[in-house]
Amino acid sequence: MRRAVVSLLVALSLLTPCLAAPEVAAPSCLLMDRATGTVLYEKDADRRLAPASVTKIMTLLLVMEAIDSGQLTWDETVMASANAAGKGGSQVYLAENEHMTVRDMVKCVVVASANDCAAALAERVAGSESAFVDRMNDKAAELGMVNTHFENCTGLDDEAPADRHYTTSRDIAIMSRALLAHDGIREFTTIWMDTIRNGTFGLTNTNKLVRFYPDATGLKTGFTQAAGYCMSATAERDGMELIAAVMHCGSSTERFNSARELLEYGFANYTLVDPAADVVLEPVTVELGTAETVQAVPRDSEPVLLEKTAAAGCEREISLPSQVEAPVEAGQVLGTLTLRQGDTILAEVPLVAETGVERLGFGARMVRFLRYLWMAE
């Protein structure tokens, strides 16, 4: 077996000193790495609280699933029912029987937290808002959101008392992560200002971080008297995307400052390491094959989340045979790439054959043997 150890290169940013645990004013909060789902910080994160319009993360998740499955299309129009048009709170003032495209309705929910559009989309997906809410609770259970129960698709207090409509910072982060797995939603989550109705009605994002925090990628704010100021804030820096869930803040400023503090703590202290990044693999000799070599490539390399100070001590170990015998199938495991920190294995990535190599037939082997003898003379 041929073995080689390759030091993991560390960017200069890894040398910055770690921050102490953040002092977050939010009564309940949680910081999660989106790629791995790892919780980086939490404070009273399982306390059941009213989520206000952060509820709409689950509404949007079910809408995105309907779009991805083909049940909905972006360009089809949805008609506003009397129920949808009658929603209070944040809205775009849909008139009963008014038609609007799915794309514009989703934009209104994401950017302006429009309750009327959320209800119209819910009715289109499930037939009624109540049936849609049942699906919301089913999805919450599927995602492991054990401290969540929904009574409506908007989070309005007058329709959903806090003792029956609640979630937690942990569960907000979980459903935010699920929503961000649908790339289509990202078309809307970073919009600061836009319009609908042919430019006659303006929208401004309720998430001020989209305007004032350079790395922001979304996601959703909420406020009611029962819930206080809540949000799920997402941001990406140096290839790492974080989710900061904050609940029951006393003011909008406290909400945004708490989210920003969590995000900065995460970016300053953690990094994602790709075990296969910058690895150069030499071809493996194939005995009796129609090709003389086969290229090994990493299979399913998932990022590893590490503290920045720990990442500096990591090593990559490559284990590959010097040769294999034909036939070789595409995807056949040839060796292993191991990411280590001292004696601790952080990740193991199979190294597989990029292409298949067939075995030479008897006649071809004889020709190759005679050529070898002729070359040796």
Side-chain angles (χ1 to χ4, degrees):
M1 300 286 284
R2 180 170 75 247
R3 303 174 68 86
V5 176
V6 183
S7 295
L8 182 64
L9 297 179
V10 182
L12 290 177
S13 62
L14 303 189
L15 302 178
T16 55
C18 288
L19 299 177
E23 296 182 4
V24 183
S28 172
C29 62
L30 183 138
L31 179 67
M32 178 183 286
D33 169 55
R34 185 197 62 80
T36 64
T38 303
V39 174
L40 307 181
Y41 177 84
E42 61 180 277
K43 173 185 174 184
D44 203 8
D46 295 311
R47 179 181 171 189
R48 293 179 175 181
L49 295 165
S53 285
V54 177
T55 296
K56 297 186 182 83
I57 293 173
M58 180 60 78
T59 302
L60 290 164
L61 173 57
L62 294 185
V63 170
M64 291 305 301
E65 288 184 343
I67 292 170
D68 290 349
S69 70
Q71 181 188 354
L72 279 179
T73 64
W74 286 111
D75 295 327
E76 75 172 270
T77 59
V78 174
M79 185 179 72
S81 67
N83 172 63
K87 293 293 181 183
S90 301
Q91 57 184 299
V92 293
Y93 304 99
L94 289 175
E96 184 178 355
N97 298 325
E98 180 180 353
H99 287 75
M100 185 177 288
T101 65
V102 169
R103 183 179 302 280
D104 277 354
M105 282 194 171
V106 169
K107 179 166 64 176
C108 291
V109 174
V110 175
V111 176
S113 198
N115 295 314
D116 42 6
C117 289
L121 288 167
E123 291 170 348
R124 169 61 182 85
V125 170
S128 68
E129 184 177 354
S130 62
F132 187 84
V133 172
D134 288 340
R135 294 191 188 183
M136 293 171 70
N137 287 313
D138 288 344
K139 188 65 179 182
E142 178 187 325
L143 292 173
M145 297 166 58
V146 297
N147 287 304
T148 293
H149 182 77
F150 297 113
E151 284 286 315
N152 64 26
C153 67
T154 61
L156 286 166
D157 285 349
D158 58 354
E159 296 182 358
D163 62 341
R164 298 205 309 269
H165 188 96
Y166 54 82
T167 188
T168 66
S169 294
R170 189 182 313 279
D171 287 355
I172 287 173
I174 289 171
M175 65 178 173
S176 298
R177 184 176 183 234
L179 177 59
L180 289 171
H182 297 267
D183 289 338
I185 199 66
R186 295 177 183 273
E187 176 183 342
F188 311 97
T189 56
T190 56
I191 292 173
W192 171 237
M193 300 184 74
D194 207 330
T195 61
I196 55 171
R197 299 187 177 113
N198 297 317
T200 62
F201 190 95
L203 307 174
T204 301
N205 204 319
T206 58
N207 179 5
K208 307 307 180 188
L209 294 184
V210 169
R211 174 67 176 83
F212 298 107
Y213 191 74
D215 303 300
T217 58
L219 184 64
K220 190 71 195 74
T221 62
F223 169 76
T224 63
Q225 290 298 323
Y229 292 86
C230 311
M231 81 177 303
S232 175
T234 60
E236 184 173 4
R237 186 183 299 171
D238 298 328
M240 180 172 67
E241 188 169 30
L242 300 178
I243 301 166
V246 299
M247 299 190 74
H248 209 57
C249 292
S251 68
S252 181
T253 299
E254 180 180 289
R255 166 180 60 188
F256 291 125
N257 286 346
S258 294
R260 186 184 292 107
E261 181 74 18
L262 286 170
L263 294 170
E264 284 300 306
Y265 167 78
F267 289 132
N269 286 277
Y270 295 92
T271 186
L272 280 177
V273 175
D274 181 355
D278 303 319
V279 169
V280 178
L281 301 172
E282 297 180 5
V284 177
T285 299
V286 180
E287 289 186 332
L288 303 178
T290 54
E292 295 184 356
T293 63
V294 64
Q295 182 63 52
V297 295
R299 184 187 73 187
D300 301 330
S301 179
E302 296 294 332
V304 178
L305 183 73
L306 297 174
E307 290 186 17
K308 287 186 172 181
T309 53
C314 291
E315 294 180 327
R316 291 189 180 99
E317 181 180 273
I318 300 168
S319 178
L320 277 174
S322 58
Q323 59 185 24
V324 293
E325 186 173 328
V328 177
E329 296 183 2
Q332 178 179 322
V333 176
L334 302 175
T336 306
L337 168 64
T338 304
L339 182 67
R340 292 181 180 273
Q341 188 179 54
D343 294 331
T344 302
I345 296 177
L346 302 174
E348 288 185 317
V349 180
L351 301 175
V352 301
E354 186 175 28
T355 58
V357 179
E358 295 181 359
R359 187 177 178 87
L360 288 172
F362 177 77
R365 292 201 302 272
M366 288 301 299
V367 170
R368 180 175 291 185
F369 176 70
L370 292 173
R371 185 183 299 120
Y372 172 78
L373 290 178
W374 181 76
M375 295 277 294
E377 292 180 355

